[in-house]
């Protein structure tokens, strides 16, 4: 009897996940490889980060404008089990590789990423996001992400439109040009 009960519970979850994966892909692209800079790439993202973000969307605690517009409704009915399955799926996908560039903008961004801007109290991004910007656990992968998406997130952190005290402190003194530079560099990884 337990096998039958387990099967009955598994089928609806699997069916629900298939529907969610289809719905997610309409914005985030097949297997999380978004082509639109409006939506982040989820392929290869850290599982713990994805779980935390999906829970925040569902619980309406991530209140930046794009979260409210796009994700609050999408995540409203997700169970913890659904969230774990979605996060596991996207974390297991091969990330999108960035497009190499040696432009002055990306060179300046690489310096900000690896050294920070000590005169502006901006720490090196590498200290949390890692040498290859792959993140770790609750710290997101930012490598290969859309430049415009990353710039918008840094601006939201700086203004506290997206609440995260650590990222607010790290981004509040960045100029628009510096945000563009570091996000251009991350898009190349």
């Amino acid at each position: 009897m337990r096998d039958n009960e387990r099967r009955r519970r598994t089928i609806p979850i699997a069916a629900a996940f298939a529907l969610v994966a289809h719905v997610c892909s309409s914005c985030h692209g097949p297997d999380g490889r978004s082509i639109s800079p409006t939506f982040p790439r989820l392929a290869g993202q850290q599982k713990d980060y994805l779980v935390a973000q999906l829970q925040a969307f569902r619980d309406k605690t991530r209140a930046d404008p794009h979260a409210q517009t796009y994700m609050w409704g999408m995540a409203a009915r997700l169970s913890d089990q659904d969230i774990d399955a979605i996060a596991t799926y996207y974390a297991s996908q091969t990330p999108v590789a960035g497009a190499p560039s040696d432009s002055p903008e990306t060179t300046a961004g690489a310096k900000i990423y690896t050294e920070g801007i000590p005169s502006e109290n901006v720490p090196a991004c590498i200290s949390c996001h890692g040498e290859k910007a792959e993140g770790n656990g609750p710290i997101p992968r930012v490598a290969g992400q859309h430049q415009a998406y990353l710039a918008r997130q840094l601006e939201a952190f700086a203004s506290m439109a997206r609440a995260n005290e650590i990222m607010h402190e790290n981004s509040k003194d960045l100029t628009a040009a510096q945000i563009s530079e570091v996000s251009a560099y991350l898009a190349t990884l």
Side-chain angles (χ1 to χ4, degrees), residues 63-85:
D64 55 284
H66 278 82
Q68 291 175 356
T69 302
Y70 297 106
M71 289 302 299
W72 278 14
M74 301 306 285
R77 294 182 182 226
L78 295 177
S79 68
D80 286 344
Q81 191 174 12
D82 296 334
I83 286 172
D84 188 72

Side-chain angles (χ1 to χ4, degrees), residues 9 38 46 53-54 61 65 76 92 101 110 117 120 136 157 159 169:
R9 279 186 294 210
T38 300
Q46 294 292 320
Q53 297 311 301
L54 286 168
T61 57
S92 71
S101 171
I117 310 169
E120 299 295 324
N136 186 14
F157 287 130
S159 69
E169 287 300 315

